[in-house]
């Protein structure tokens, strides 16, 4: 029986792939046999990650639709196909909403929502042409709950929109061979989260609010993405797979 989890012969693009969850996802896809393109705004770190993984690098700014269109064109011209697109680039600002500037609000929405849509659109056009493909968006448990005690209304709103965007695109494209799903992590031990863990109040709330009592390692998110990218998930579309150590059950 053919292994339904293999990605042999598939080409994958991971935005925000230079570090953290994105780098772990890129590794997971490589380990499953895919030809992977690490896509990031930070060329130095992105190239280093790609080299370490045996992947390839392509630069893009997801907030610029022309830039992400060019990155997808590069992948297709280089590899002749785009089979898996993981839209992972994201940022967060922790400002009380009453003091959140227009610029910070717009910046978070620009990267976390506009960037996901631009990336979906660019990948989706190619996949619809070829009649197949799997798109996986990085959502967040923050798209389902409002985190505490840190304020992050812009991030939460953007991630909730990503989850619903995923469902909307799944409804539009699945009958033409393109599956669209999302993965919603809980707290993950990236550099950004580690900085938050230095705040005693935040750390206690985060760990006490997670039934498993810990944050995830980035490598623990990657298998969910590999699953959704593979034929093992051939009947999954519009699915949001929450990987949060149980945080959203309380």
């Amino acid at each position: 029986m053919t292994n339904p989890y293999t990605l042999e012969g598939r080409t994958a693009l991971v935005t925000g792939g230079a570090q953290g969850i994105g780098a772990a996802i890129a590794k997971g896809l490589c380990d499953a046999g895919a030809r992977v393109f690490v896509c990031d705004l930070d060329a130095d770190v992105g190239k280093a990650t790609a080299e370490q993984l045996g992947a390839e690098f392509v630069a893009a700014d997801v907030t610029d639709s022309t830039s992400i269109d060019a990155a997808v064109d590069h992948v297709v011209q280089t590899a002749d196909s785009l089979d898996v697109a993981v839209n992972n680039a994201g940022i967060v600002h922790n400002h009380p909403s009453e003091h959140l500037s227009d610029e910070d609000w717009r910046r978070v929405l620009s990267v976390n929502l506009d960037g996901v849509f631009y990336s979906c659109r660019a990948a989706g056009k190619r996949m619809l042409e070829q009649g197949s493909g799997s798109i996986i968006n990085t959502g967040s448990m923050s798209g389902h709950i409002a985190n505490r005690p840190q304020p992050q209304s812009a991030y939460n709103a953007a991630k909730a929109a990503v989850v619903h965007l995923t469902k909307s695109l799944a409804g539009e494209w699945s009958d033409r061979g393109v599956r669209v799903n999302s993965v919603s992590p809980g707290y993950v031990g990236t550099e950004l989260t580690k900085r938050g863990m230095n705040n005693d109040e935040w750390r206690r709330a985060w760990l006490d609010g997670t039934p498993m009592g810990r944050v995830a390692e980035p490598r623990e998110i990657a298998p969910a993405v590999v699953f959704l990218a593979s034929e093992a998930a051939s009947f999954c579309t519009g699915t949001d797979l929450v990987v949060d150590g149980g945080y959203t059950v309380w």
Side-chain angles (χ1 to χ4, degrees):
M1 178 180 177
T2 302
N3 177 6
Y5 297 94
T6 185
L7 296 176
E8 292 286 346
R10 308 285 180 86
T11 301
L13 174 68
V14 182
T15 69
Q19 54 192 332
I21 294 173
I25 290 170
K27 183 180 186 306
L29 295 170
C30 285
D31 290 347
R35 179 178 180 179
V36 176
F37 287 79
V38 171
C39 180
D40 208 277
L41 184 61
D42 190 330
D44 291 338
V45 178
K47 288 177 181 177
T49 298
E51 182 177 358
Q52 180 182 10
L53 297 177
E56 297 161 75
F57 176 75
V58 58
D61 177 355
V62 298
T63 68
D64 179 350
S65 62
T66 302
S67 179
I68 195 65
D69 286 346
V72 168
D73 287 345
H74 170 79
V75 172
V76 172
Q77 290 166 10
T78 303
D80 295 325
S81 69
L82 176 59
D83 306 296
V84 177
V86 182
N87 302 316
N88 173 74
I91 61 171
V92 64
H93 290 312
N94 298 117
H95 299 311
S97 294
E98 68 272 25
H99 301 303
L100 184 64
S101 68
D102 293 354
E103 292 77 17
D104 284 339
W105 168 268
R106 187 61 257 159
R107 178 63 178 163
V108 172
L109 271 289
S110 182
V111 175
N112 293 11
L113 179 56
D114 298 349
V116 170
F117 174 72
Y118 296 155
S119 300
C120 284
R121 183 176 62 187
K125 286 179 181 178
R126 174 60 188 178
M127 292 176 177
L128 290 167
E129 289 174 359
Q130 66 192 26
S132 64
S134 176
I135 296 173
I136 302 102
N137 298 321
T138 300
S140 172
M141 69 176 185
S142 304
H144 298 273
I145 52 91
N147 301 66
R148 61 181 181 88
Q150 76 277 18
Q152 52 183 54
S153 60
Y155 181 87
N156 296 351
K159 290 301 186 178
V162 165
V163 171
H164 207 62
L165 173 65
T166 298
K167 295 178 183 294
S168 298
L169 296 178
E172 288 189 46
W173 294 346
S174 294
D175 64 349
R176 288 182 280 168
V178 180
R179 297 185 297 107
V180 189
N181 294 288
S182 57
V183 171
S184 285
Y187 291 113
V188 182
T190 61
E191 290 305 313
L192 185 64
T193 299
K194 288 175 182 176
R195 289 198 293 270
M197 292 283 281
N198 290 328
N199 181 309
D200 289 340
E201 180 189 9
W202 292 17
R203 183 180 67 255
R204 286 195 302 270
W206 295 357
L207 297 181
D208 289 348
T210 304
M212 293 185 73
R214 64 176 179 86
V215 301
E217 294 296 325
R219 61 177 174 78
E220 294 181 288
I221 308 302
V225 175
V226 173
F227 164 69
L228 290 172
S230 74
E231 287 304 307
S234 59
F235 202 55
C236 293
T237 196
T239 295
D240 181 51
L241 182 51
V242 180
V243 187
D244 68 349
Y247 191 98
T248 55
V249 305
W250 287 342

